[in-house]
Amino acid sequence: MAGILLTLCRFVSRPTATLVRPMSDQPIAAVILAAGKGTRMKSARPKVLHEIAGKPLIGHLLAAIEQLGAAQCAIVVGPNMDSITQAVSPVPTVLQKDQLGTADALKAARSVLSDFTKGTVLVVFGDTPFIAPNTLAAMVAEREAGATVVVLGFEPDDPAAYGRLVTDQTGALQAIVEFSDADDQVRKVGLCNSGVMAIDASCLFDLVDQITNDNAKGEYYLTDIVTTARRQDLSCRVILAQEAELLGINLRSELAAAEAAWQNRARQAAMESGVTLQDPQTVYFSWDTVLGQDITIGQNVVFGPKVAVQDDVTIKAFSHMEGCVIRRGAVIGPYARLRPGADIGEDARIGNFVEVKNATFGAGAKANHLSYVGDATVGDRANIGAGTITCTYDGYLKHQTVIGVEAFIGSNSALVAPVTIGERATVGAGSTITRNVPADALSLARGDQRDLPGMAAKLRSRLKARKEAMKKS
Ligand code: UD1
Ligand code: MG
């Protein structure tokens, strides 16, 4: 399959194991600061565990760092954030007891970085998930070229309350001034601090230990590392990035905007790799959706996590999928629901209002209308009629249904599992099947039909007479 992997960090169309940075013998460590309370999210969940495209913010960042080939990574968390520790395992977390500022947060990672005295330490914020590995690689390259501190800057439409980057005529960075400490002159500077830094590991903690909290907020600002380094005549540089990459999330509305931005890029990537989206704005991908080529996706289609779609598949409008594989040439929907464990075979058909869960459909098998097929194996070219239900659950345990190759299940049948329908067997419409059906057998499990000639007319006149008698009395 010519697959594409839609990730938040890379909006390119194909998965690749290639390194995003040239060979270098200098190692990289990354520290993600995530101890802030994220109060404005109004959530019991730590901010970095909120999701974009089904993956936590911090997961997107970790993926970017992994692609960069960082030798080490640590996440700084605050008290009562064990859920982050669990979510990111085996990446270690370290505790910053009190939130005294970004420089203090970095100090909390000292124990993890004690042996890391050569190379580059990258500092990123946990709530800024869109940074591309290539941008981080450019920062590391600039650091390795001789800078002590490299800061990622951007020029937002509205510089708002961002820290400002003060540079000299040569473009070298002289200071970062926090908005609350900036005078009018500095506030006019349009070049802002994203918060992302690449710092020379050999002098990182020497510099950080010199930072004081003598500022408007009384916090230990990591941004002061620039003036600290400049006092020792160490070089500080700026690398520029697009604002879109530095979208930070503080509010639910910003989370929604980030999701929308991610989805737009994913749609674009899908189309560029040979997928037709009939109304792109209404198709929603997951971070791990894998798509082949020449797929057509209709309107209002939602991909939950872990969906892989092979070449030449058609997914019609209003279908919902998660945890499933759709093989070459299959046609899904409209209004189909594929749940975890659905494996739809080549050229198979899953039609309107059909729900499939933990079930394998063989090549060319069909369930075209109004059915539930769960915990089942459906043989090649089997045909499942409208309204067929696999009755899998007895209230305590789930049981399997096996439908043989080329079997035909008549409409409105209930297959009470565990049960096997033999190859090429036919089940008559309206049957409730409770025992195995042999191969090539016709199985009818429904009440016999009885016709009473003229009885309908007699019944009508009897009922009419009774109604009139009731009106008179
Ligand atoms: C920071 C920068 C500012 C920059 C802005 C970009 C500093 C001093 N300021 O400001 O120049 O323009 O980001 O968004 O760095 N954190 C901890 N422990 C703490 C404090 C913060 O782990 O004690 C973490 C937060 O969880 C967050 C990150 O550090 O992930 C940044 O903290 P935040 O309070 O958002 O800094 P800003 O005021 O936005
Ligand atoms: Mg912030």
Side-chain angles (χ1 to χ4, degrees):
M1 170 167 56
I4 67 160
L5 185 64
L6 302 168
T7 76
L8 184 63
C9 308
R10 292 170 54 251
F11 300 103
V12 296
S13 54
R14 278 163 209 288
T16 161
T18 51
L19 283 171
V20 292
R21 74 190 196 110
M23 291 302 283
S24 163
D25 59 356
Q26 298 199 42
I28 303 170
V31 180
I32 302 177
L33 306 189
K37 291 200 183 75
T39 5
R40 285 184 287 162
M41 291 295 279
K42 304 254 166 59
S43 175
R45 204 196 296 187
K47 179 161 74 175
V48 297
L49 294 186
H50 284 264
E51 293 179 351
I52 291 175
K55 183 174 182 165
L57 302 183
I58 198 142
H60 290 287
L61 256 185
L62 285 170
I65 288 165
E66 195 186 314
Q67 268 192 55
L68 197 65
Q72 241 177 307
C73 184
I75 298 164
V76 180
V77 297
N80 306 317
M81 292 188 182
D82 294 347
S83 51
I84 300 183
T85 306
Q86 280 164 20
V88 300
S89 172
V91 176
T93 51
V94 289
L95 178 68
Q96 183 196 21
K97 282 204 193 87
D98 301 300
Q99 277 58 72
L100 303 178
T102 44
D104 181 70
L106 190 53
K107 280 187 197 169
R110 192 194 300 262
S111 58
V112 185
L113 296 178
S114 57
D115 295 333
F116 198 86
T117 51
K118 185 176 160 289
T120 303
V121 174
L122 270 171
V123 182
V124 292
F125 294 167
D127 63 357
T128 312
F130 283 172
I131 297 168
N134 285 330
T135 304
L136 296 175
M139 294 181 71
V140 172
E142 186 77 3
R143 220 288 311 146
E144 290 177 354
T148 300
V149 178
V150 178
V151 173
L152 190 63
F154 67 123
E155 291 170 321
D157 294 340
D158 174 14
Y162 286 116
R164 303 298 207 267
L165 301 186
V166 179
T167 51
D168 64 17
Q169 308 86 319
T170 68
L173 183 61
Q174 298 301 324
I176 306 178
V177 185
E178 286 304 284
F179 182 78
S180 45
D181 298 298
D183 58 23
D184 287 347
Q185 193 63 25
V186 171
R187 285 184 183 184
K188 280 192 195 122
V189 172
L191 185 58
C192 292
N193 175 29
S194 70
V196 186
M197 288 190 191
I199 307 167
D200 183 346
S202 67
C203 57
L204 169 66
F205 286 109
D206 286 345
L207 295 172
V208 169
D209 286 338
Q210 294 175 46
I211 293 173
T212 67
N213 64 349
D214 182 16
N215 53 53
K217 286 193 184 163
E219 284 186 14
Y220 294 88
Y221 291 158
L222 182 57
T223 45
D224 283 352
I225 198 168
V226 172
T227 40
T228 311
R230 290 303 302 138
R231 271 201 300 275
Q232 297 172 32
D233 217 22
L234 298 169
S235 146
C236 300
R237 311 287 311 171
V238 180
I239 290 265
L240 273 181
Q242 295 298 314
E243 187 177 2
E245 236 182 274
L246 299 168
L247 213 85
I249 287 144
N250 302 295
L251 302 164
R252 304 265 183 171
S253 55
E254 288 169 350
L255 185 69
E259 174 80 37
W262 190 94
Q263 292 295 344
N264 274 334
R265 285 179 285 228
R267 291 164 188 146
Q268 201 57 39
M271 290 187 284
E272 279 165 19
S273 72
V275 174
T276 294
L277 303 182
Q278 290 175 330
D279 185 1
Q281 290 305 311
T282 66
V283 176
Y284 295 86
F285 293 106
S286 168
W287 69 276
D288 57 355
T289 307
V290 178
L291 300 173
Q293 266 185 353
D294 290 311
I295 292 167
T296 299
I297 301 175
Q299 300 83 350
N300 295 294
V301 169
V302 177
F303 292 85
K306 298 199 180 101
V307 177
V309 185
Q310 296 186 354
D311 296 350
D312 303 316
V313 163
T314 299
I315 300 171
K316 296 185 180 175
F318 295 98
S319 294
H320 187 285
M321 290 143 287
E322 56 186 320
C324 62
V325 179
I326 305 170
R327 297 184 190 274
R328 185 187 285 267
V331 179
I332 308 299
Y335 297 98
R337 179 163 184 218
L338 301 183
R339 292 175 54 204
D343 183 332
I344 310 304
E346 289 192 5
D347 300 315
R349 299 276 183 278
I350 304 295
N352 45 281
F353 305 107
V354 174
E355 176 182 344
V356 181
K357 188 215 71 180
N358 191 29
T360 301
F361 273 69
K366 291 180 186 165
N368 265 330
H369 335 265
L370 300 155
S371 290
Y372 171 67
V373 182
D375 300 303
T377 307
V378 180
D380 294 351
R381 299 175 300 285
N383 193 327
I384 295 183
T388 298
I389 307 289
T390 54
C391 309
T392 56
Y393 188 49
D394 58 17
Y396 295 90
L397 297 170
K398 298 227 168 113
H399 304 282
Q400 285 288 321
T401 301
V402 177
I403 297 172
V405 169
E406 292 176 12
F408 181 95
I409 313 297
S411 296
N412 198 31
S413 293
L415 309 178
V416 182
V419 73
T420 296
I421 313 298
E423 295 183 359
R424 298 171 306 279
T426 291
V427 170
S431 292
T432 298
I433 300 294
T434 54
R435 292 191 307 270
N436 292 348
V437 175
D440 292 304
L442 167 65
S443 180
L444 300 170
R446 61 191 182 203
D448 277 340
Q449 183 169 330
R450 208 154 59 102
D451 298 327
L452 305 177
M455 197 58 198
K458 278 187 199 159
L459 188 65
R460 273 197 301 275
S461 53
R462 202 186 297 158
L463 291 172
K464 192 174 168 202
R466 192 190 294 172
K467 193 171 175 186
E468 272 159 18
M470 280 169 76
K471 266 196 226 159
K472 281 180 196 151
S473 65

